[in-house]
Amino acid sequence: MFKRMQWKIVFMFVALVLVIMLIVGLYILGSIIAVNNGAFNEQLDKVMSGEFTQVLGDALAEDVSSDERTRRVNSVISAFSSQLGLSEQRQCAVLSAVDASRIVSTSGEATKTVLEKTPNIIQAMSGNTGKRTQMTAAFMDYAYFLDNGDGSGGYIVYVKDNKQSVNSIIKNIFYIIIQAMLFAILASVFLGYFLSKTITNPISVLTEKAEDFAEGNFDSNLEVFSQDEIGTLVETFNYMGGVMNNAINEVAGEKHKLEIILEHINNGIIAFNTDQEIILINSAAKKMFLLENIKEIRFDSFFNSLNLNICMAEFMYLERFRTESREIEVNKKYMKAYFVPFKIENDKVAGVVCVLEDVTEEFNLEKSRKKFVAEVSHELKTPLTTIGAYTETMLDSFPEDKETAVSFLTTIQNETNKMTNLVKNLLTLSKFDAQSVEMNKEFFGLASLVRDISDTFRVEAEHKKLEILFNTVNEMPPVYADKFQIERAVKNIVSNSIKYTPENGTIKIYVGYLYNEAYIKIEDNGIGIPEEDLSHIFERFYRVDKARSREQGGTGLGLSIAKEIIQNHNGKITMESKVGEYTRVTIKIPIT
Ligand code: ADP
């Protein structure tokens, strides 16, 4: 199939060949006519300058009858007819130079007939030789002025050739040219087709390649067919493909990098276009909002549902290029949201990127810090108020009886002890926080340590009519730990069991090991802990029943300290409980 380009090339090729042939043909025809005209004039010049005009002049001058004169002139013309080249096509006449009337003519036309006054005849009438030729004229003529001095005013020897012989040559040549042109058309269509193919084939290949480029495939390498301009174009194309491939790969690499960063960054990122649709979202953002169908989300409605006073129009129409920040609480998470408008080409906003920073940890930390300060203040305030009140009373009116005075002072002492206890515990915890607790690890028998502790508490327990049962395995291996700290942790837990187990209760203490792990279980059948409190029980100042704990002399820090100690030993402390049934604390520490 011919392609448009091929048609054009073939058409141009044919047109070019035809134009060339036409020019050449016209040139040939012109040359033939010119040569023919030249030869005509040359031949007649020669005849006229010779004997012919002499003899003709004499024949015209003779004083004879007009018929005789015509006869004589005719015989002179006949005698010179071959020199004059006379024939059917070429006639000779003798005209009067005065009025161009015909005196003698070889064609035998009536004498005295006035001929059409051609430019050459007019020229001859003025006494010169008229031999002008016209390419396009249907005939060629020659008019020679002959003055034989007979007083007639001169004669014109007029030769007229109807160009028939040259016309038939021209006709033949014309036919030959037409045939040649037809042949040239066929040949040029044929040649043009192959020529066009050599041009259009690489162009077709280049077009396919360009289409490949448009589809983003820059890999294929084109074969260079020739070393001409098209070859250079193909080479340039290959080079361009390579450059674009590199550029695309680079861009793709950068994009991939960016995607990986976006996917693995902890911050949530959502980009919206000005139609309020999501154009990019990373998995952190999806997780933060538990999003699934992101196609339906629109900027305004989405952030409105989160009670954020923000809308896309503010960025678009107020051309706000500054970052807006808001705080969001969603799914028990606290987030800082930064809204950053972005523009692409002109200065118009193209969308808004929302960067979400999960500040839950900081928020909770800040919250617990505030809570901690409030708790400490509160814990200190209560004994200080009591001490203040008792001191004031004593200062106002010092009790006269010793008993009341001692009772007042004992209360002051108890409250002071509570505060000292609290401050000591706080100091211990702050040491753990600062990781400045010194670990004095040694090998010791855990079972005997815990047995000693239970013995220590036995008096206090009996006081409350509680039974402490101790049990352990045989041949318990020594553990490598800070004996003093482990003792402190166990004491905190056993003392809790005594505190929160009503009379006639039992506290079972068990020490054992499994592989490289030693464990201590302390179980009581006391008041127990509600399930919802269990997850908070190791938090500082967390108490199920504040009044009861205070009443028991608790600070709410015992379990937190125990947990810090056990964690410092790479161990684990867990608590299970059922209200009114039991509370079981399990401590696990590595033996070595
Ligand atoms: P406290 O000084 O108040 O005992 P802890 O940190 O030792 O502080 O204990 C925290 C809270 O856990 C206590 O206030 C108490 O409500 C609860 N608790 C701890 N041990 C027991 C237990 N064996 N039985 C019931 N409640 C307990």
Side-chain angles (χ1 to χ4, degrees):
M1 273 292 282
F2 263 32
K3 294 180 183 119
R4 251 159 76 180
M5 181 83 176
Q6 277 180 299
W7 274 116
K8 276 186 193 166
I9 292 171
V10 170
F11 178 76
M12 272 163 57
F13 200 68
V14 171
L16 188 73
V17 168
L18 285 182
V19 167
I20 290 171
M21 288 199 72
L22 208 67
I23 291 169
V24 170
L26 285 175
Y27 178 74
I28 291 170
L29 288 178
S31 301
I32 288 169
I33 292 168
V35 166
N36 188 56
N37 287 350
F40 174 74
N41 282 338
E42 205 178 300
Q43 183 189 17
L44 292 175
D45 275 348
K46 208 167 154 193
V47 174
M48 298 304 162
S49 60
E51 202 186 347
F52 172 66
T53 47
Q54 193 77 43
V55 179
L56 189 69
D58 289 347
L60 286 166
E62 278 180 55
D63 189 15
V64 287
S65 69
S66 129
D67 285 348
E68 180 57 22
R69 199 169 54 160
T70 304
R71 196 190 58 77
R72 286 186 184 181
V73 169
N74 259 336
S75 67
V76 172
I77 291 171
S78 305
F80 282 89
S81 68
S82 66
Q83 280 183 42
L84 289 164
L86 298 182
S87 67
E88 285 273 302
Q89 283 76 40
R90 189 182 294 184
Q91 301 290 323
C92 179
V94 177
L95 317 175
S96 158
V98 180
D99 56 3
S101 59
R102 195 189 305 251
I103 294 168
V104 176
S105 143
T106 52
S107 60
E109 288 165 42
T111 317
K112 296 274 181 189
T113 315
V114 179
L115 275 173
E116 180 200 346
K117 281 183 188 151
T118 67
N120 282 344
I121 290 175
I122 294 166
Q123 180 82 13
M125 283 170 84
S126 61
N128 297 314
T129 305
K131 49 180 177 182
R132 269 207 306 180
T133 53
Q134 254 184 306
M135 281 278 205
T136 51
F139 62 88
M140 52 187 179
D141 62 346
Y142 185 95
Y144 182 79
F145 176 73
L146 175 66
D147 187 9
N148 61 352
D150 64 356
S152 63
Y155 300 95
I156 295 169
V157 183
Y158 184 64
V159 180
K160 185 177 179 184
D161 193 312
N162 65 5
K163 275 190 177 178
Q164 207 182 51
S165 57
V166 73
N167 277 352
S168 73
I169 294 171
I170 287 169
K171 215 176 184 178
N172 284 339
I173 289 176
F174 186 72
Y175 284 133
I176 291 169
I177 288 173
I178 293 289
Q179 281 170 2
M181 277 172 122
L182 284 173
F183 177 75
I185 288 173
L186 282 176
S188 52
V189 165
F190 191 68
L191 281 173
Y193 173 71
F194 284 103
L195 178 79
S196 66
K197 266 191 101 104
T198 59
I199 297 171
T200 55
N201 271 7
I203 291 177
S204 303
V205 176
L206 285 176
T207 310
E208 275 172 33
K209 178 85 172 167
E211 280 165 5
D212 271 5
F213 280 13
E215 281 164 19
N217 175 18
F218 302 94
D219 281 343
S220 54
N221 228 1
L222 290 177
E223 193 186 330
V224 179
F225 297 105
S226 53
Q227 289 305 319
D228 54 11
E229 283 79 359
I230 290 188
T232 315
L233 181 64
V234 174
E235 267 175 6
T236 315
F237 225 76
N238 281 339
Y239 175 70
M240 185 174 83
V243 171
M244 281 172 88
N245 207 12
N246 286 346
I248 294 282
N249 283 344
E250 217 169 285
V251 171
E254 287 298 318
K255 192 174 166 252
H256 184 64
K257 229 191 287 174
L258 211 73
E259 277 169 0
I260 293 205
I261 293 171
L262 280 180
E263 270 316 291
H264 292 88
I265 203 166
N266 285 337
N267 288 351
I269 292 175
I270 316 175
F272 291 87
N273 60 18
T274 44
D275 291 333
Q276 307 199 24
E277 296 158 339
I278 291 181
I279 49 172
L280 185 147
I281 183 164
N282 68 350
S283 44
K286 282 186 197 163
K287 232 188 268 171
M288 283 172 178
F289 295 112
L290 306 174
L291 293 178
E292 269 167 22
N293 196 0
I294 57 163
K295 275 188 191 152
E296 282 165 16
I297 291 173
R298 294 291 174 273
F299 187 91
D300 289 359
S301 54
F302 180 65
F303 291 110
N304 266 346
S305 70
L306 295 168
N307 293 326
L308 296 192
N309 180 23
I310 200 153
C311 67
M312 182 62 80
E314 284 176 46
F315 292 100
M316 280 170 67
Y317 303 116
L318 301 181
E319 304 214 332
R320 261 198 213 174
F321 287 117
R322 60 162 203 268
T323 303
E324 289 285 319
S325 69
R326 299 281 190 284
E327 277 171 15
I328 312 178
E329 187 197 335
V330 64
N331 304 324
K332 290 194 177 159
K333 285 199 175 246
Y334 297 90
M335 277 167 270
K336 266 207 162 157
Y338 300 95
F339 294 89
V340 192
F342 65 92
K343 38 194 173 174
I344 294 176
E345 265 168 20
N346 43 28
D347 260 5
K348 286 243 169 306
V349 172
V352 174
V353 175
C354 173
V355 181
L356 298 145
E357 195 186 339
D358 188 342
V359 288
T360 314
E361 215 169 296
E362 289 94 315
F363 185 86
N364 287 342
L365 228 99
E366 180 63 15
K367 207 164 111 182
S368 58
R369 192 189 63 80
K370 283 181 187 162
K371 195 175 148 201
F372 182 76
V373 172
E375 300 266 16
V376 173
S377 325
H378 186 75
E379 291 301 323
L380 288 172
K381 201 181 139 206
T382 321
L384 278 173
T385 316
T386 317
I387 294 169
Y390 278 85
T391 324
E392 210 178 295
T393 315
M394 284 179 85
L395 283 174
D396 277 353
S397 59
F398 197 84
E400 281 175 14
D401 61 312
K402 195 183 167 194
E403 219 171 284
T404 317
V406 169
S407 145
F408 276 25
L409 287 170
T410 312
T411 309
I412 291 172
Q413 193 189 32
N414 282 345
E415 293 306 309
T416 314
N417 285 345
K418 264 189 209 166
M419 280 200 301
T420 315
N421 235 350
L422 178 72
V423 172
K424 267 188 194 163
N425 282 344
L426 281 172
L427 268 172
T428 309
L429 280 171
S430 79
K431 272 188 189 165
F432 278 116
D433 289 343
Q435 290 172 339
S436 61
V437 177
E438 250 183 68
M439 293 274 274
N440 295 313
K441 284 192 172 180
E442 58 183 305
F443 280 103
F444 63 91
L446 186 67
S448 63
L449 173 79
V450 179
R451 182 186 287 118
D452 290 349
I453 295 169
S454 42
D455 289 343
T456 319
F457 279 103
R458 194 152 279 131
V459 182
E460 193 183 334
E462 272 165 13
H463 206 69
K464 258 188 103 179
K465 297 195 177 106
L466 296 174
E467 190 183 10
I468 296 184
L469 302 174
F470 176 80
N471 211 342
T472 184
V473 288
N474 293 325
E475 293 171 21
M476 171 90 190
V479 294
Y480 185 68
D482 187 321
K483 192 177 171 186
F484 174 75
Q485 287 192 25
I486 297 291
E487 182 183 351
R488 186 167 185 184
V490 175
K491 273 185 171 170
N492 283 358
I493 290 152
V494 177
S495 75
N496 276 348
S497 285
I498 293 172
K499 271 192 267 178
Y500 304 108
T501 306
E503 282 188 2
N504 303 318
T506 314
I507 298 160
K508 292 179 191 161
I509 302 174
Y510 182 78
V511 181
Y513 74 97
L514 195 68
Y515 304 113
N516 194 35
E517 205 171 53
Y519 58 88
I520 309 161
K521 274 190 184 164
I522 300 150
E523 190 181 321
D524 62 63
N525 53 359
I527 58 168
I529 299 164
E531 207 183 325
E532 63 269 23
D533 294 298
L534 271 176
S535 55
H536 303 283
I537 212 75
F538 292 103
E539 286 171 16
R540 293 170 193 190
F541 293 112
Y542 195 89
R543 287 178 283 202
V544 178
D545 182 344
K546 282 193 186 205
R548 191 180 191 138
S549 160
R550 273 201 204 98
E551 193 185 293
Q552 305 278 354
T555 57
L557 296 173
L559 284 178
S560 340
I561 291 173
K563 188 185 170 195
E564 293 289 347
I565 292 171
I566 302 307
Q567 277 182 346
N568 239 13
H569 281 81
N570 298 321
K572 246 186 180 174
I573 180 164
T574 50
M575 191 173 228
E576 302 148 85
S577 183
K578 201 156 189 197
V579 178
E581 286 186 24
Y582 72 94
T583 300
R584 186 188 306 130
V585 179
T586 311
I587 292 173
K588 287 179 182 168
I589 49 165
I591 290 177
T592 48

